[in-house]
Amino acid sequence: MFLPSRLLLALVLGLTSVGTFASPLVPRVPHESRSNLPRGWAPVRRAESDLVLPLRIALAQANLESLESFLLDVSDPSSPNYGDHWTPAKVATMFRPSAESVDTVRGWLIQSGIDADRVELASGAGWLVANVTVAEAEELLGTEYFVYEHADSGHVQVRCDKAYHLPEHVSKHVDLITPTIHFDKQVRSVEGRSAKSKIGRLGSGFSPKTKGSVKTIYNGLDKCDVQITPDCLRALYTFYYDPVATDNNSIGVAENTPQVYSPSDLDIFFNNFSVSQVGQRPNLISIDGGTIDVPPGIGFNVESNLDLQYAMALVGKKQPVTLYQVGDYIEGASFNTFLDAIDGSYCTYEGGDDPTYDPSYPDSADGGYKGSLECGTVTPANVISISYSYDEWELSPAYMQRQCNEYAKLGLMGITVLVSSGDFGVSGNGGVCLGSTGSPVTNGTSFAPSFPGGCPYITTVGATQINPGAKVTDPESACMQEIYSGGGFSNVFAMPSWQRGAVESYLSEYSPGYPAGTYNTSGSRAYPDLSVNGANYVVAVQGSFQLVYGTSASTPVTASMISAVNDARLAVGKKPVGFINPTIYSAAFQHAFNDITSGSNPGCGTNGFTAEVGWDPVSGVGTPNFAPSSYFHLPIDEDEELPAEDHPPYTKHLPWISPDTTDSDDSDASSSSPSGSSTPTQTQRPLPPHSPPPPKRSKAVINEILAQNDCYAVLGISRAARIDKSSLRRAYLARSKACHPDKFPDNPEATRAFQKVSVAYDILSKPSSKRSYDSRSQHAPFDFFASRSFPQAEETFRSVVIGVFNDLLDGDLEMVRTLLCAVNNMNPSLQLGEDGINSVLMTLQAIRTRALTCRTCILALHHELTRLLEVQRTFSQLSYFDLRRRSHLTIRLARLTIGLPIALEDALRRERQDEYGEDLKQDRAGVGVGKGTEDGANDAVSDAATLLLNRRVYGLLRTVVSVLERMERLVEK
């Protein structure tokens, strides 16, 4: 009887405990697990059952299934909502955990025996927290807790064994729970210092690679293969830009204490490469006690010195650079520490931190930051450069996924986040490789992907190099000097839609053929996205110059270029580019990159991946070609109105530099021999052969315009009975740019002069108003602002020159389709059909891509679009009842639009003939755009070798143009 009584008692106790602890009958599922312990950790004993744990439950965020589509809606250049970024409030509201999640998880805790008054919901509704004993936690999570000790430091932590479980109905409402399987990366010795010097680098102890002191600095472009300087980078990527919207633009560099920059090193660098910036400092924003006041040492300065010296030099003196210095010297920083500061909804208890990974503040250690954790106290810059990384194997998938989602939210708000891809090829930091279980092992053969490089919602930057002995104008290769560009395939994140085509193309053509398990072949996120030079950087460190290597050099340089694109967009009323990945992977944007086709990123006993044509997991889509990318965003060049032969050998976009002024404030040494902390001797160095003239702002043009009372004098042209329209346009554009308000934001007279120029052009460009103006006495006073209502100058300038051109380059061809359909319906003999129309549209798309890389095409396109604008402007001034002239101009618009490809074809032929002296049989007399003859069109096509258009399409377009011209003549009679 005794044994049955014991069994009966156990059964009764088990039944009565259903209301107190989670029922074993409720189905549970593994929520998070790990296959192996991180290196150095080992269990020493079971945790005491009455030990109290601060249980923290991160609730699943709402609407994450739509996160990528939300991001694409504002980041895909083909989207009608491109650039319509969200406010922080909208982001917070959209992804706040649902009431159902809060109620489900709270109900589970209470039903499991946790008193309701012990369960708290954070103010941001992102976390539920409760203090529980080890016994309660083990029952809740279906696991066992142990005390683990680190072999090097003796540091102990209480963690569960391998995995924890949740009821199935609860699991879907939870992201992660702590403390559970995650181990503290911030391993500190008993003295409070790291057992392994982290040097501010997240997840590793690896700074950029250095290679000894530089004895002689080469400031020209003939030694860029052995020393990279700011001028080398400008020449490599045609990156010449003078910012004009600096009050609205921002660029930030994140650094983690104790990695700090040295002000004296910054001045030594500027003294050699950007004299005007000597004494300039980044705008330091301290986050959680971040400071540059730490003990000196080369290991503590190289990263931050590198980032800031090049970011500041490349954006120039006028564009401030923000330094986010994160964490105190004792506790350090993590990615989440930074994310906390720029997004209050992400802080501990409110959406992101895991105290087992992330430092906790206040820091009680001597010298630690005693303030509270900063949450939402910092405004993020438009573009942020981060040169730090973990390996994926070091973190749990739930932790990485939650943080990756935060990067997507930053993209929704219009923020570009750039992260280095790593310096060890396909290996992890320090050359770590993985075994079959996914944990690091000696002689491992599986690749170790990087985080956050593998997150699809950031832009990952790899590294290239100028090959030894090559010129700065020669193609680069993947970086294989001292470091290997990090790249590969994530083991956590799925492949995003915007890179699927590029990645699948690479794998189908250039698959390395490695054994199964070498890397993730299931269709995962691939990286890097793009690359920039990362070898032989000349960096001032502790009073002397060193050569530095790493993707952490490539990242701030890329940020500088994105900042320039943002500046150009902001200058004309557009928004920052935000998340750029959908754009750079688009076919329409491939002209903006230099394809890298040589080199590899070896590791783990393999050659890694190889750089090939198109995207590859070594260099991404390639290195930026800044000039064409600017054309994509802002297709207006200061020199576009010049004859083609007068164009300088550089292309510069919207810097608003007066051609008759200079301001040379940088005089740099041609060579120097630094030693110790001394500053090398400076001598005047000529500007690089491709660099634009330095800018100088002058009020002379404004004063000259305001002093004139004559329309001709305002535009700077001579009075004449007839004025060539192209000459008038050139005069208008030159004067408008010279006094543009964006160039003089603090001078209200610039706006007045700008409007005056617009009035003058408006009067002289119309025959009727010009005749009326010319009939008055030349000596009679003329009040530009009182005699007539002047046009909206800003609207005229931007819409005419920028708006229409951008619309065409953005690829909106629906208008062309409508016109072709209408012409086909009116002239059945054409027999275009749907296939013919689609063929024309496909050709136009190809033309658009080619035009962006052809200077002659840009000029021809600009000329033809100007003619279109003239017709459109005349059209808008007609009476609605003037049906004949409206019909006439409608046909002319159609003719000029469809004739654009013909103009580009002719431009390409002229360029080829001028460059190579080829005889292209350009027998097209009487077949110019808009001047075609029905008899000569097909003959010309048969005699000429087309360069851009399919011959059938060319002939079809010629025929359509001829038909439209006949129609135009008929209506005009």
Side-chain angles (χ1 to χ4, degrees):
M1 289 293 293
F2 178 72
L3 183 58
S5 298
R6 291 281 299 273
L7 292 173
L8 180 61
L9 178 61
L11 178 62
V12 172
L13 290 175
L15 291 174
T16 58
S17 68
V18 170
T20 304
F21 297 107
S23 170
L25 300 179
V26 176
R28 295 194 191 196
V29 294
H31 193 72
E32 281 193 279
S33 63
R34 64 165 186 268
S35 56
N36 293 94
L37 289 170
R39 285 177 295 181
W41 291 100
V44 293
R45 64 179 184 277
R46 281 291 304 274
E48 295 80 358
S49 61
D50 58 351
L51 180 67
V52 176
L53 301 175
L55 199 69
R56 303 171 180 182
I57 303 172
L59 300 173
Q61 300 171 83
N63 298 311
L64 288 180
E65 70 280 0
S66 301
L67 180 59
E68 183 172 320
S69 62
F70 289 152
L71 186 58
L72 278 173
D73 187 48
V74 300
S75 305
D76 188 332
S78 65
S79 168
N81 296 319
Y82 177 77
D84 189 13
H85 301 127
W86 292 17
T87 64
K90 181 177 180 180
V91 170
T93 300
M94 180 61 69
F95 300 105
R96 181 174 291 119
S98 66
E100 179 187 3
S101 294
V102 176
D103 293 342
T104 299
V105 178
R106 185 197 294 273
W108 164 64
L109 290 172
I110 294 173
Q111 291 172 10
S112 299
I114 308 301
D115 294 339
D117 58 2
R118 294 165 59 190
V119 181
E120 297 181 7
L121 178 66
S123 58
W127 290 71
L128 282 170
V129 298
N131 290 332
V132 301
T133 64
V134 166
E136 290 173 323
E138 290 181 340
E139 189 67 27
L140 281 168
L141 305 178
T143 189
E144 294 181 333
Y145 274 83
F146 290 81
V147 176
Y148 293 84
E149 184 174 350
H150 195 273
D152 294 334
S153 67
H155 189 67
V156 296
Q157 294 182 1
V158 177
R159 297 292 181 265
C160 64
D161 180 38
K162 295 184 180 178
Y164 67 93
H165 305 74
L166 293 175
E168 191 170 8
H169 74 286
V170 174
S171 180
K172 64 182 181 181
H173 295 286
V174 174
D175 275 350
L176 56 87
I177 298 178
T178 67
T180 49
I181 63 171
H182 320 110
F183 279 79
D184 189 354
K185 295 301 300 175
Q186 305 285 331
V187 180
R188 291 178 296 277
S189 67
V190 293
E191 291 81 15
R193 291 289 305 278
S194 173
K196 294 182 179 180
S197 177
K198 296 292 178 184
I199 315 180
R201 178 171 287 275
L202 293 157
S204 76
F206 304 97
S207 289
K209 179 80 172 180
T210 58
K211 191 180 178 181
S213 297
V214 176
K215 303 302 181 184
T216 301
I217 295 175
Y218 304 105
N219 280 316
L221 298 180
D222 56 337
K223 295 289 186 180
C224 292
D225 61 319
V226 294
Q227 290 182 11
I228 285 292
T229 65
D231 279 347
C232 290
L233 294 169
R234 293 188 184 100
L236 266 175
Y237 307 122
T238 58
F239 181 40
Y240 303 109
Y241 184 80
D242 182 44
V244 295
T246 56
D247 290 342
N248 298 322
N249 197 20
S250 54
I251 173 176
V253 176
E255 303 290 349
N256 300 312
T257 313
Q259 182 59 247
V260 299
Y261 86 95
S262 165
S264 60
D265 287 340
L266 196 60
D267 281 341
I268 291 174
F269 183 84
F270 287 153
N271 218 10
N272 277 267
F273 303 112
S274 185
V275 171
S276 65
Q277 292 181 268
V278 172
Q280 187 177 11
R281 301 290 180 260
N283 296 332
L284 188 149
I285 294 181
S286 173
I287 297 174
D288 296 329
T291 177
I292 65 170
D293 186 19
V294 299
I298 188 171
F300 290 132
N301 295 127
V302 62
E303 178 71 74
S304 191
N305 278 5
L306 166 66
D307 293 347
L308 290 171
Q309 287 172 17
Y310 278 84
M312 294 178 68
L314 289 172
V315 299
K317 183 177 182 179
K318 287 178 285 188
Q319 176 61 62
V321 173
T322 298
L323 166 61
Y324 300 111
Q325 192 67 47
V326 189
D328 67 20
Y329 180 65
I330 305 299
E331 188 73 10
S334 70
F335 287 122
N336 279 346
T337 318
F338 175 58
L339 292 173
D340 289 340
I342 62 176
D343 182 2
S345 68
Y346 194 71
C347 293
T348 301
Y349 302 136
E350 295 184 2
D353 282 15
D354 179 348
T356 61
Y357 287 110
D358 307 314
S360 299
Y361 292 102
D363 182 0
S364 60
D366 291 342
Y369 170 63
K370 298 301 187 291
S372 299
L373 182 75
E374 298 199 34
C375 299
T377 58
V378 175
T379 300
N382 292 333
V383 56
I384 297 172
S385 171
I386 301 174
S387 296
Y388 302 91
S389 68
Y390 287 108
D391 292 336
E392 282 185 350
W393 67 266
E394 299 180 277
L395 307 167
S396 76
Y399 177 90
M400 288 184 281
Q401 186 64 65
R402 195 170 179 95
Q403 186 179 110
C404 185
N405 292 339
E406 180 66 13
Y407 293 123
K409 296 175 191 176
L410 293 177
L412 276 172
M413 293 186 283
I415 298 163
T416 307
V417 181
L418 303 168
V419 176
S420 55
S421 70
D423 299 344
F424 296 90
V426 295
S427 306
N429 286 318
V432 167
C433 298
L434 308 180
S436 59
T437 63
S439 296
V441 295
T442 303
N443 298 322
T445 57
S446 294
F447 301 165
S450 173
F451 180 79
C455 168
Y457 305 131
I458 56 94
T459 301
T460 309
V461 184
T464 55
Q465 67 181 29
I466 299 178
N467 293 315
K471 296 181 293 187
V472 72
T473 54
D474 293 337
E476 291 184 274
S477 70
C479 191
M480 301 183 71
Q481 295 183 59
E482 304 297 329
I483 65 127
Y484 299 111
S485 179
F489 296 81
S490 171
N491 289 330
V492 176
F493 300 100
M495 185 183 298
S497 59
W498 54 83
Q499 71 166 186
R500 184 172 301 280
V503 176
E504 290 180 348
S505 176
Y506 175 86
L507 291 176
S508 65
E509 295 185 44
Y510 308 110
S511 175
Y514 294 135
T518 304
Y519 68 95
N520 190 351
T521 59
S522 64
S524 64
R525 151 71 160 156
Y527 70 97
D529 298 301
L530 54 83
S531 292
V532 162
N533 189 284
N536 297 306
Y537 276 61
V538 178
V539 180
V541 183
Q542 292 294 301
S544 64
F545 284 96
Q546 304 232 350
L547 289 184
V548 180
Y549 306 76
T551 54
S552 52
S554 312
T555 308
V557 172
T558 307
S560 302
M561 297 185 197
I562 300 299
S563 178
V565 173
N566 284 339
D567 182 277
R569 291 176 60 82
L570 291 166
V572 293
K574 295 187 177 184
K575 294 183 179 180
V577 290
F579 180 55
I580 65 173
N581 288 13
T583 299
I584 66 177
Y585 279 95
S586 66
F589 207 67
Q590 295 313 297
H591 68 279
F593 293 92
N594 307 304
D595 196 8
I596 304 300
T597 58
S598 62
S600 63
N601 55 356
C604 302
T606 74
N607 191 42
F609 300 101
T610 56
E612 304 289 353
V613 174
W615 178 92
D616 54 69
V618 185
S619 64
V621 297
T623 60
N625 184 3
F626 185 76
S629 69
S630 294
Y631 262 118
F632 180 84
H633 287 279
L634 277 170
I636 175 166
D637 184 85
E638 194 167 358
D639 305 306
E640 280 175 5
E641 292 292 340
L642 297 174
E645 64 271 14
D646 294 338
H647 281 285
Y650 60 87
T651 302
K652 187 158 58 62
H653 304 271
L654 285 177
W656 311 112
I657 295 174
S658 300
D660 56 346
T661 60
T662 59
D663 179 21
S664 297
D665 56 2
D666 283 7
S667 57
D668 304 324
S670 57
S671 65
S672 55
S673 301
S675 62
S677 60
S678 61
T679 302
T681 304
Q682 299 298 310
T683 60
Q684 180 68 31
R685 186 187 83 249
L687 290 169
H690 298 295
S691 64
K696 181 179 179 181
R697 302 270 174 86
S698 172
K699 295 175 63 176
V701 176
I702 296 175
N703 294 334
E704 178 186 342
I705 292 171
L706 293 177
Q708 299 296 336
N709 291 315
D710 176 69
C711 290
Y712 294 94
V714 166
L715 293 177
I717 59 177
S718 301
R719 181 180 290 266
R722 297 189 56 143
I723 302 176
D724 177 67
K725 288 185 176 182
S726 62
S727 299
L728 186 63
R729 275 197 309 273
R730 282 198 293 269
Y732 164 64
L733 288 172
R735 287 299 227 193
S736 296
K737 295 176 184 180
C739 65
H740 197 284
D742 283 347
K743 182 180 177 184
F744 303 95
D746 300 324
N747 187 352
E749 295 300 314
T751 299
R752 189 172 176 83
F754 188 57
Q755 291 173 336
K756 196 169 182 178
V757 169
S758 183
V759 171
Y761 176 76
D762 191 52
I763 292 172
L764 299 181
S765 62
K766 300 174 183 177
S768 59
S769 59
K770 181 181 183 300
R771 283 194 299 269
S772 175
Y773 179 79
D774 288 346
S775 65
R776 56 186 295 279
S777 171
Q778 296 185 28
H779 304 291
F782 182 78
D783 192 333
F784 283 79
F785 303 104
S787 62
R788 54 181 277 124
S789 59
F790 53 85
Q792 294 295 321
E794 190 69 23
E795 180 182 350
T796 300
F797 184 77
R798 288 179 179 167
S799 64
V800 170
V801 183
I802 297 175
V804 173
F805 205 73
N806 261 345
D807 288 344
L808 181 71
L809 295 184
D810 283 342
D812 186 359
L813 300 178
E814 285 307 307
M815 182 186 72
V816 178
R817 176 184 287 277
T818 302
L819 291 171
L820 288 172
C821 290
V823 171
N824 187 53
N825 293 336
M826 296 170 64
N827 298 269
S829 61
L830 287 176
Q831 297 182 339
L832 287 177
E834 188 65 23
D835 290 342
I837 292 174
N838 288 336
S839 179
V840 171
L841 295 178
M842 291 174 63
T843 301
L844 289 175
Q845 288 285 11
I847 289 170
R848 171 175 165 268
T849 301
R850 180 67 181 271
L852 293 173
T853 63
C854 169
R855 181 70 174 180
T856 305
C857 294
I858 288 292
L859 291 170
L861 192 57
H862 189 274
H863 174 72
E864 295 301 320
L865 286 175
T866 303
R867 297 175 64 193
L868 275 171
L869 290 170
E870 289 176 351
V871 176
Q872 181 63 44
R873 183 169 184 171
T874 303
F875 189 95
S876 65
Q877 294 170 349
L878 292 179
S879 165
Y880 284 103
F881 300 102
D882 192 348
L883 298 181
R884 185 184 64 82
R885 293 191 65 197
R886 293 180 74 86
S887 299
H888 172 247
L889 291 178
T890 299
I891 296 171
R892 180 175 294 180
L893 278 171
R895 174 173 60 81
L896 291 174
T897 301
I898 295 173
L900 284 174
I902 302 173
L904 293 176
E905 172 68 30
D906 291 342
L908 273 173
R909 290 167 60 83
R910 287 194 302 271
E911 182 181 63
R912 179 68 63 86
Q913 193 167 28
D914 291 342
E915 184 173 356
Y916 299 106
E918 295 181 7
D919 181 10
L920 298 178
K921 299 181 181 180
Q922 201 163 10
D923 182 19
R924 293 190 181 175
V927 198
V929 177
K931 300 179 181 178
T933 62
E934 188 174 15
D935 296 330
N938 291 331
D939 291 340
V941 175
S942 63
D943 289 341
T946 55
L947 298 175
L948 183 63
L949 300 176
N950 175 280
R951 285 195 176 195
R952 177 176 176 272
V953 172
Y954 187 90
L956 189 63
L957 290 176
R958 296 293 340 180
T959 302
V960 172
V961 168
S962 297
V963 170
L964 288 173
E965 189 178 39
R966 291 201 308 272
M967 293 172 61
E968 187 179 347
R969 287 198 298 267
L970 289 172
V971 174
E972 192 175 16
K973 291 180 179 179

